[in-house]
Structures are given as C-alpha cells and as structure tokens.
Amino acid sequence: MLLNVIEAGEGDRVAVLLHGMMGSAESWHRVVPLLVERGFRVLALDLPGHGLSARDPGLTIETAADAVVETLAQALPSALPPASTTSLDGCNRLAVALGHSFGATVLAAAAPRLDPGLAVYVDAALTLQGGHDRADLIAQYEHDRRARMSPTELRRLRPFYSVQDAAVEARAAERFDPATAASVSCGADGHWTAAPGSIVVRAEPSAWVADEDARRFEHDGVTVRSIPGAAHTVWYSHFEVFTAALPELFAPSLV
C-alpha cells in the first residue's frame, strides 16, 4: 500500500514523520516548517485509515510498517534499486524518523528496514495489548471520532490547542476509519524495541510511557527525555519545550 505524503523542503537530509492514532500528516503542521528551516526534506505520512491514505480493515502494526517502507522506497528512489520496495537498508539519506504514539509503534516495526540515522519515539511504550472485541472497539473509535470532529469542542477540551491545531485535528477525525484502527488491536499482543541510541520523548506523567517503561528503555541504551505537564501530543501543549528537548533535530546550528 502506498500512503499519502505531505512533503516540504529539499536537500539530502530527510526527516520522516508518523502521526498518532486518529491524527494525520497534518498533525505535524508546526513541526514541519521548523525542520525545513533546519535544512531537512520532510516527508509526513498519513498512516493507513488516516488522512488521505487508503483504508485497511485487516491492518496490523507490521502491515502498517510495510506500507511506510514501500511508500518511502518510492519517495526516495535514489536510495534503492528501482525494483525494490521492501527495504531501505543502506540508505544514508534518511537522517531522522519521528513517530508519535501509534506512529511510534509503526516506526519501531519499520526501523530495522528504514535504518534512520536517528529514531525518535514520542510518548509510546512500543507495546500493544491485543485481543479486543472488534465490534466494541469500532464502536468506541466511532464515538471518539465524532467527539473530535468539532474544532470548537476540541478547543474547549484542550485549551492549549490553537485554532489551527483544532481545525487540523477535527479534519483528521472526519477522515479517520474506525475499522482500520480497530483491526490493529484485535490480534495478539505485540512488543517492539527501540535501537540503542534512539530517543524517547514522553509526557510526565504519561499514561503511555510509565516510569517502568522509561527504565526499560534506558537499560536498552535508549535516551529518555521527559516533559513535565505535557499532553500526550507533546508538541501541541509544549511546543518550545518539545523542540528544545530535541536539539539533534531543531538546534539552529544544524542549518
């Protein structure tokens, strides 16, 4: 499956962005321009069942990762033999891959093939609890989707949202496919690892990355950076603190 891509900037250093559940590539609308200023070519992807990408009622984390790899193989043709759509091994142009929540888990599954110079995982423990009832979960996602379709209501519930944040997230909710999302959690439990040298940025406290998870990451050679008081979508509530926590991406000296 080829995914919808929002592309900005140019150059040899590529940054790939993967959004969270019920978000879209547009969720990075404040992050993308800053990365472009820092000299990155940015590719923000709509994951399956999100944004303008196709639906997949049989989606798993692994097939979502396959779609990411296939899409990037096409978007970065000089990095691969033309016939290959399954690996980005040896690509030294993928400088950074940044994933949030669901997108972070997809990134962890795809990372061995993407081989980014740096992988950043935002507020995700990289685990998945499976075994959910499909009909129940679809109904829950549909309820949540409808609750997020009003920009006014989103700003009431999340006062830190800007007008543009609320518009972007309401549009993402309209385009979100509950059946695709539910499929991910109806199979077996899953666990993925972050390579040593990766970075995890988490809210503190976090409903997704507990202190025990943080210790596990650090034991495995992953750097954990916590942002007190941040929301799950960390860069919406604490944009300046989030970017300051990632000088590897956002420091002005990168230009």
Side-chain angles (χ1 to χ4, degrees), residues 18 58 74 105 208 243:
L18 303 180
Q74 178 165 297
T105 306
W208 303 91
T243 56

Side-chain angles (χ1 to χ4, degrees), residues 122-125 201-211 213 226-227 230-232:
V122 182
D123 218 33
V201 178
R202 66 166 185 156
E204 187 179 26
S206 172
W208 303 91
V209 183
D211 291 344
D213 297 316
S226 301
I227 299 181
H232 178 49

Side-chain angles (χ1 to χ4, degrees), residues 7 11-14 41 43 69-85 87-94:
E7 183 172 351
D12 290 335
R13 293 189 305 152
V14 176
R41 176 187 173 194
L43 303 176
V69 173
E70 182 179 357
T71 300
L72 295 179
Q74 178 165 297
L76 306 172
S78 63
L80 290 172
S84 174
T85 58
S87 174
L88 289 176
D89 290 344
C91 169
N92 57 15
R93 294 180 58 206
L94 184 52

Side-chain angles (χ1 to χ4, degrees), residues 20-255:
M21 186 69 77
M22 214 174 295
S24 75
E26 290 184 294
S27 297
W28 303 104
H29 69 93
R30 290 189 67 189
V31 173
V32 170
L34 189 54
L35 287 172
V36 170
E37 286 180 13
R38 300 299 183 256
F40 287 99
R41 176 187 173 194
V42 183
L43 303 176
L45 278 58
D46 282 331
L47 292 169
H50 295 74
L52 298 179
S53 287
R55 281 53 181 137
D56 180 1
L59 190 72
T60 66
I61 294 293
E62 298 300 337
T63 57
D66 291 343
V68 168
V69 173
E70 182 179 357
T71 300
L72 295 179
Q74 178 165 297
L76 306 172
S78 63
L80 290 172
S84 174
T85 58
T86 59
S87 174
L88 289 176
D89 290 344
C91 169
N92 57 15
R93 294 180 58 206
L94 184 52
V96 174
L98 173 62
H100 172 240
S101 194
F102 167 58
T105 306
V106 174
L107 173 58
R113 288 174 286 169
L114 300 179
D115 193 26
L118 175 65
V120 179
Y121 303 95
V122 182
D123 218 33
L126 310 186
T127 60
L128 176 73
Q129 182 180 354
H132 290 265
D133 179 84
R134 181 178 180 84
D136 288 348
L137 197 52
I138 289 174
Q140 182 61 55
Y141 276 136
E142 180 61 27
H143 175 271
D144 294 346
R145 181 182 81 89
R146 292 185 179 278
R148 292 170 59 99
M149 286 170 56
S150 165
T152 301
E153 183 66 6
L154 276 175
R155 293 200 76 199
R156 185 185 71 81
L157 295 172
R158 298 170 174 82
F160 54 86
Y161 272 15
S162 69
V163 171
Q164 188 174 1
D165 295 340
V168 161
E169 293 305 309
R171 182 162 53 247
E174 289 180 14
R175 294 171 172 172
F176 171 73
D177 180 49
T180 297
S183 178
V184 173
S185 299
C186 292
D189 294 351
H191 175 80
W192 295 265
T193 59
S198 301
I199 298 172
V200 168
V201 178
R202 66 166 185 156
E204 187 179 26
S206 172
W208 303 91
V209 183
D211 291 344
E212 181 180 352
D213 297 316
R215 288 191 291 270
R216 169 173 54 84
F217 282 128
E218 290 174 335
H219 178 270
D220 292 340
V222 176
T223 298
V224 177
R225 297 171 184 167
S226 301
I227 299 181
H232 178 49
T233 311
V234 177
W235 65 97
Y236 274 1
S237 68
H238 287 63
F239 184 76
E240 289 78 12
V241 182
F242 172 74
T243 56
L246 289 168
E248 297 86 353
L249 280 68
F250 300 110
S253 61
L254 288 174
V255 179

